[in-house]
Each structure stands twice: as structure tokens, then as C-alpha cells.
Amino acid sequence: MLGLNALAAAWGGIAWSRRDPSVWFWYVLRAAQAAVVVQAVIGGVLLARGRDAGGLHLFYGLTPLFVSMVAEGARVNAAQWELEGVEDVEELDRREQVLIARRVVLREMAIMTVGALMIVTLSLRAAGIF
């Protein structure tokens, strides 16, 4: 989970800074999110089997899942933020539509990159590295 989220955060940060809407970023991000879910499920199974995790361990186990969901929720609003003030996208010329779409994707990448970075930070802290 840590490695995939670190890769997603790095890839997203580099792609965003270059203003390059990377398709591969989304594949890496989805793999990182899947790893978060798998870790939460494994933790839930261990907890259900009676393994006492303690409050802090439970916090660090569930928070990445929460961060991922909040980031997805914020990503959904990226298009609205970029389209603020635009009355009708269909009336814009093709070039302006493409530029808006590009800005939407870059904003989505930025939001999800910050989410992945937060998960990395939480994971490092949970591992006692940070």
C-alpha cells in the first residue's frame, strides 16, 4: 500500500507540475486505492478474529480509506470548479472545450495526488518511520 501510494503521489506530482494529464497515473492510483481497500479488509478480518489492534492502530488502518473516499468526493467537483462562470460549454469553440477538459483533468490529478500523499504520510507515521 505504501509503495503504490508513493508511486501514485510521485507520478501525479510530476505529471501535474509538467501540466501533462497522464493516463498511467490513473492506473497507478486505482491500484493504490485497491491496496488501501485490501489492507482495510485484512485489518477487518483480523479484528473480527479477535486480534486486538488498539485504537491508534485502528485509526491508522482506517484513515487511508477515509482519505481516499474524501479525495474521490472532491474530485467529483473538479469539473464544477473549472466550469464556474461558463454558461454553455457547447457554445465554446473546440479549442476552448479542450482547454477546459485539460484543466479539469489536471485539477482531478492534483486532488488525487494530494490524497495519495496524505496516505503515504499516514502510512509512514504508522510504520514509525515519520
Side-chain angles (χ1 to χ4, degrees):
M1 183 190 80
L2 175 59
L4 283 170
N5 276 283
L7 181 59
W11 198 313
I14 291 168
W16 181 83
S17 69
R18 293 180 178 175
R19 302 288 187 245
D20 177 25
S22 171
V23 172
W24 279 99
F25 164 75
W26 296 101
Y27 293 119
V28 173
L29 177 71
R30 296 306 178 210
Q33 288 176 325
V36 168
V37 171
V38 167
Q39 179 176 338
V41 168
I42 291 170
V45 168
L46 291 174
L47 193 60
R49 287 187 168 180
R51 187 135 185 220
D52 184 25
L56 193 57
H57 189 81
L58 192 59
F59 171 80
Y60 281 118
L62 291 177
T63 304
L65 189 61
F66 177 74
V67 167
S68 187
M69 289 189 296
V70 169
E72 282 292 340
R75 184 188 67 81
V76 169
N77 294 319
Q80 287 178 315
W81 291 328
E82 288 299 332
L83 290 172
E84 195 169 302
V86 176
E87 292 184 26
D88 188 10
V89 175
E90 299 295 325
E91 290 182 10
L92 298 174
D93 64 28
R94 174 83 173 132
R95 182 178 182 281
E96 290 173 330
Q97 289 177 355
V98 169
L99 289 174
I100 287 174
R102 184 180 181 88
R103 285 197 318 261
V104 167
V105 171
L106 288 172
R107 182 179 291 263
E108 288 177 341
M109 284 178 62
I111 291 166
M112 299 310 292
T113 297
V114 168
L117 188 58
M118 290 174 68
I119 291 170
V120 167
T121 304
L122 285 165
S123 300
L124 289 173
R125 179 65 184 117
I129 298 169
F130 180 64

